[in-house]
Amino acid sequence: MKKIFLPLLLLSALKLSAQDVEKIHRKAILIDTHNDIISNELITGNDAGKLQTTGNFDLVRAKTGGLDVQVFSIWCGDQYGNGTAYAYANREIDSLQALINRNPDKMMLVTNAKELKKAVKQKKLAAMVGVEGGHMIEDRLDYIDSLVKRGMCYLTLTWNNSTSWATSARDETLHGDTLQHKGLTELGKQIIHKLNDAGVMIDLSHPGEQTFKDVMAITTKPVIASHSCVYALNPHRRNLKDYQLKAIADNGGVVFINFYSGFIDSTYESKHAAFMARHKPQFDSLRVIYKDYDLASIRLNELNKGEADQLRPPLSMLIKHIDYMVKMMGADHVGIGSDFDGAESYPLGLDSVTDYYKITAELVKIGYSKKDIEKILGGNFIRVLKANKGK
């Protein structure tokens, strides 16, 4: 752990300007391991290659924010299952490929660290594929091979819904007494070995604690949590407990911090529930339009921005989660996984991909070294990607 704690007087004496922070930010390879824009594009029809007035991501704003690598989430809800989920995953990958094909001068698909660095050198956004939800492999090992050929760099073992072979954090917490099994089944263990052999990073952001323990007992490669926060600061079932953070660090893995207000601030969910109750008729109308709960929630916040902004935690609360992880795990095991375009609320000041530099500025302010900031912004992802891919 190589964190530097500087006295306030010394920090003041450094007198780092905005230009100094910008230099640190631009020098780093900035990698975000989780963004849901592709799912949203299929619903809204918006073109993420052009500047948008809604949402958190497009290629124009990504360039402004200094984003070098984006892992695009390939996701579908639990209404998709055997016979439909795998096809929907491929439809989303097709959508990502179409975005790349429309913007060959701005982005390229990459699958390993060598290709990633080539894209960065060419000043193109390196686009990667992260599959969020094990139900999209439909209990078939050969579908893992097919998704790897299409670029899959990580598989989130479950989404909120469990699979036949692994249980989710939501189900283990809320439905533990009625589950037919808890953790990994024999098929689940086969899938872990298959992912290790295929060089696919195992993502533990959504699985339950028993699944987590079962994975950590058998994985031969470093794991990740692509978009998670700290349970000790906010006891949400989706956040990671101290023993989980330590286990991931001991394994050589990385936890990528989620920006969602509900995972950062323990008071957010109750405030948001009251907000939703006040705007139920409007929300119900938006559900009819968008068909998707999360996208309707995002749009509701946009339409009531002044009121919704009052619910958002300060940026300092997100920084506390990062700092807690670094103290618990070391700076080699923390990264950025925003969950942009996948939630209705983020800390004040983090409105889009243009705002990553604010995190850099806050880390500089509290005394983080340039080296450790570079690790957190992207270096740690490259290391764990190499450890899984072997190149």
Side-chain angles (χ1 to χ4, degrees), residues 193-254:
H193 294 312
K194 177 73 174 180
L195 294 171
N196 282 161
D197 292 343
V200 178
M201 293 179 286
I202 294 167
D203 179 15
L204 294 171
S205 270
H206 274 281
E209 287 189 66
Q210 189 57 55
T211 300
F212 179 96
K213 292 172 184 176
D214 291 348
V215 170
M216 299 307 285
I218 63 173
T219 183
T220 59
K221 301 282 183 69
V223 301
I224 65 169
S226 68
H227 57 307
S228 292
C229 293
V230 176
Y231 187 91
L233 297 179
N234 179 13
H236 192 287
R237 62 181 177 270
R238 270 280 282 107
N239 288 344
L240 297 173
K241 295 180 178 179
D242 287 356
Y243 83 87
Q244 294 175 299
L245 298 176
K246 291 176 181 177
I248 291 173
D250 290 344
N251 161 266
V254 183

Side-chain angles (χ1 to χ4, degrees), residues 69-251:
V69 183
Q70 180 65 67
V71 184
F72 291 91
S73 174
I74 302 303
W75 170 86
C76 64
D78 55 6
Q79 70 270 35
Y80 295 91
N82 286 349
T84 58
Y86 174 73
Y88 198 87
N90 277 281
R91 181 184 173 194
E92 289 199 351
I93 297 173
D94 288 344
S95 182
L96 173 59
Q97 189 60 59
L99 177 64
I100 294 169
N101 292 344
R102 292 195 303 271
N103 300 278
D105 57 330
K106 297 178 181 177
M107 63 189 304
M108 60 186 283
L109 184 69
V110 307
T111 61
N112 57 49
K114 183 177 180 180
E115 293 171 353
L116 183 157
K117 291 181 178 179
K118 179 180 178 181
V120 172
K121 188 174 182 180
Q122 294 179 1
K123 299 188 184 305
K124 295 181 180 181
L125 179 73
M128 304 190 75
V129 173
V131 176
E132 186 183 15
H135 58 294
M136 283 181 277
I137 67 168
E138 298 186 12
D139 299 345
R140 291 179 53 168
L141 296 176
D142 60 315
Y143 279 175
I144 293 175
D145 293 323
S146 298
L147 289 169
V148 168
K149 289 178 181 177
R150 300 218 64 189
M152 178 173 66
C153 72
Y154 71 64
L155 176 67
T156 315
L157 299 186
T158 70
W159 182 57
N160 288 329
N161 55 308
S162 298
T163 65
S164 69
W165 49 270
T167 44
S168 69
R170 183 182 67 179
D171 286 343
E172 285 193 20
T173 303
L174 301 181
H175 311 295
D177 294 339
T178 60
L179 293 174
Q180 293 183 349
H181 71 90
K182 189 179 287 187
L184 293 178
T185 64
E186 284 305 311
L187 175 59
K189 293 174 183 178
Q190 291 179 40
I191 288 170
I192 297 306
H193 294 312
K194 177 73 174 180
L195 294 171
N196 282 161
D197 292 343
V200 178
M201 293 179 286
I202 294 167
D203 179 15
L204 294 171
S205 270
H206 274 281
E209 287 189 66
Q210 189 57 55
T211 300
F212 179 96
K213 292 172 184 176
D214 291 348
V215 170
M216 299 307 285
I218 63 173
T219 183
T220 59
K221 301 282 183 69
V223 301
I224 65 169
S226 68
H227 57 307
S228 292
C229 293
V230 176
Y231 187 91
L233 297 179
N234 179 13
H236 192 287
R237 62 181 177 270
R238 270 280 282 107
N239 288 344
L240 297 173
K241 295 180 178 179
D242 287 356
Y243 83 87
Q244 294 175 299
L245 298 176
K246 291 176 181 177
I248 291 173
D250 290 344
N251 161 266

